[in-house]
Structure formats: structure tokens, C-alpha cells
Amino acid sequence: MTNTHSVSRRSLLGFGAAALTLAAAPRVWAQAAAPAAPAGPFSLPKRAYEAAALEPHIDAMTMDIHYSRHHAAFVTALNNVAKDHGVLASKPINELLGDIGALPEAVRVPIRNAGGGHANHSMFWEIMGPGAGGAPTGDVAAAITSDLGGFDKFKTDFEAAGLRVFGSGWVFVTVDKAGKLALLAKPNQDSPLMDKHMVLLGNDVWEHAYYLKYQNRRADYLKSWWNVVNWAKVNERYAAAKAGKLTV
């Protein structure tokens, strides 16, 4: 078991540095356009909503830091690696992750970490939105009932899977070309795409996704997150998956 005294000391030191950084940083919470990134084949996708649009469930500061710093850092890392490895520019991120074992050994770790983070977050922004939440509808609702035991059971199992992630990671729902759903948790920035599974939806349970608002209450974050899930967008992804066209 982790020593609680050492955790507290590291946490205090980390929070002190983070507080100084945030105090000095410009606040651009309403910025929905992708900030500039180094030239390269990878880019930060534009969100369809402003940083404050998911309040009160996800606060504006968290959205701004998460999107314009964490996700942008993955894009920067990918573009920096691509400068020296032209093979990265020739394929989209889903194909790079799907064939990660065939890549040059020197780029496998950055593709796993930064590439997985880029794919995971690109999906994450897409499946959320303002004025969303509620129960799923359409084909996705039927699939959740048939494959995951109904919406109430699915929510319980999804939240439990998110709580079981030790440290940082994600909880996903994968989908195959037949439309069958499965629940899957992954550590760090690992993506189901690495196992050739398409991702229908997923929630980020890294602390940077929720700590400013929820602190250590990951369970509260997981429950509140359902209020921002855009089921219309999830249905679009479901249709794309069955057509074999879903990428990230």
C-alpha cells in the first residue's frame, strides 16, 4: 500500500507548483478553436462547444487545461517525433495505433502514450456536449439493453470499472462491426485501437480530468459525467462503426 505521508508531501509540492503555473497563465476558458500547434501531420481537433459549456458538471478551468494544455501536449509530442520519422506522417492515428507493433521501435512508446492520448481525447470531446445527458436513444439504447444489461446496469458497471482503474486511465465502451458492445478499462493513455477495437465512447479518469472540481471524489465525477454525454453523437459513432468507418 502507498505510504500516505509521502503521498501527501508529493501532493502538496505538486499543488504548489500547479497553483503558481495557473496563477501566471492567461485564462482563455471561452476559447473553442484549437490553439496553434507545431507544424506537423497531427492537429488538435476543434471542439463543438466552449470551455464553460459543460458547467456545472465539468468546470471551465478543467476543460481549458485539459484541452489546450494536456491534449495539445500530445499533439506537440507526436509532431516532434514525426520530424524524425516520416512514417508517422503517412498514416492516420488510428492506423498507427492499430499497427503499433510494426512501427520502428524508437517510436512505439511515444505513439502509445502521445498517440493514445490524442486518439482518446479526440473521441472524448466529440461524445460530450451542452444540454446533453439523459437516457440513450435509438440503436445505441437497444444495443445497451441487449449487450450490457440495460442503461441502469450499464451505468453501474461503467462507474465501477472507472473506480477500479488504479491510478490513471480510461473506461471505454467498444463496438464491433456487428454493433456488439463491450465494456473495457485501460491504464494510462492506452487505447482499445491498439487491440483493433473500435471505441464507441469513453470517460477519462486521469486526475487532470476532474480534480479541480471533484478532488479525490472520482465516484462523484463518474456519476455527474452522464449529464454531458451526447447520445445523438454516440448514435452517429455507432452507425459509423457498423459501416466500418469509425476511426477514433
Side-chain angles (χ1 to χ4, degrees):
M1 181 175 291
T2 305
N3 185 293
T4 55
H5 295 293
S6 61
V7 169
S8 298
R9 186 173 181 179
R10 286 198 303 272
S11 299
L12 288 172
L13 290 172
F15 290 153
L20 289 173
T21 300
L22 289 174
R27 295 185 176 184
V28 289
W29 300 342
Q31 177 65 35
F42 304 99
S43 61
L44 191 62
K46 185 179 183 300
R47 285 198 320 263
Y49 45 87
E50 304 291 345
L54 305 187
E55 293 267 17
H57 311 290
I58 300 178
D59 60 284
M61 182 183 284
T62 293
M63 282 294 295
D64 176 51
I65 295 170
H66 200 170
Y67 174 73
S68 62
R69 303 186 202 180
H70 286 281
H71 191 174
F74 293 134
V75 174
T76 298
L78 286 171
N79 284 331
N80 286 338
V81 174
K83 293 176 184 176
D84 300 319
H85 300 276
V87 64
L88 301 187
S90 64
K91 292 183 177 181
I93 192 63
N94 59 304
E95 292 183 15
L96 291 172
L97 291 170
D99 293 321
I100 194 167
L103 294 175
E105 186 173 355
V107 303
R108 289 177 197 166
V109 170
I111 291 298
R112 185 177 201 94
N113 295 335
H118 179 39
N120 290 341
H121 286 88
S122 295
M123 171 277 302
F124 189 56
W125 312 130
E126 183 180 314
I127 56 97
M128 298 188 296
T137 58
D139 291 343
V140 166
I144 287 174
T145 297
S146 62
D147 299 335
L148 301 175
F151 187 46
D152 288 341
K153 183 178 186 302
F154 161 59
K155 285 198 299 181
T156 298
D157 292 345
F158 188 94
E159 291 168 21
L163 287 173
R164 285 195 299 269
V165 174
F166 181 76
S168 301
W170 289 75
V171 55
F172 298 99
V173 175
T174 61
V175 56
D176 63 20
K177 288 185 179 180
K180 187 172 181 59
L181 308 183
L183 193 60
L184 178 67
K186 286 283 189 179
N188 303 314
Q189 291 296 346
D190 284 7
S191 166
L193 297 171
M194 297 170 185
D195 302 317
K196 301 188 184 300
H197 297 311
M198 291 182 287
V199 178
L200 180 64
L201 61 90
N203 193 2
D204 188 346
V205 295
W206 281 67
E207 287 187 343
H208 65 238
Y210 62 88
Y211 209 86
L212 290 179
K213 181 176 179 67
Y214 297 94
Q215 291 82 51
N216 64 331
R217 303 188 308 275
R218 185 188 287 184
D220 291 349
Y221 161 70
L222 285 162
K223 289 184 182 300
S224 186
W225 181 74
W226 298 112
N227 292 291
V228 299
V229 176
N230 184 342
W231 291 110
K233 181 59 67 173
V234 174
N235 264 301
E236 290 177 16
R237 291 177 63 84
Y238 187 69
K242 291 195 291 182
K245 297 179 179 178
L246 184 61
T247 55
V248 298

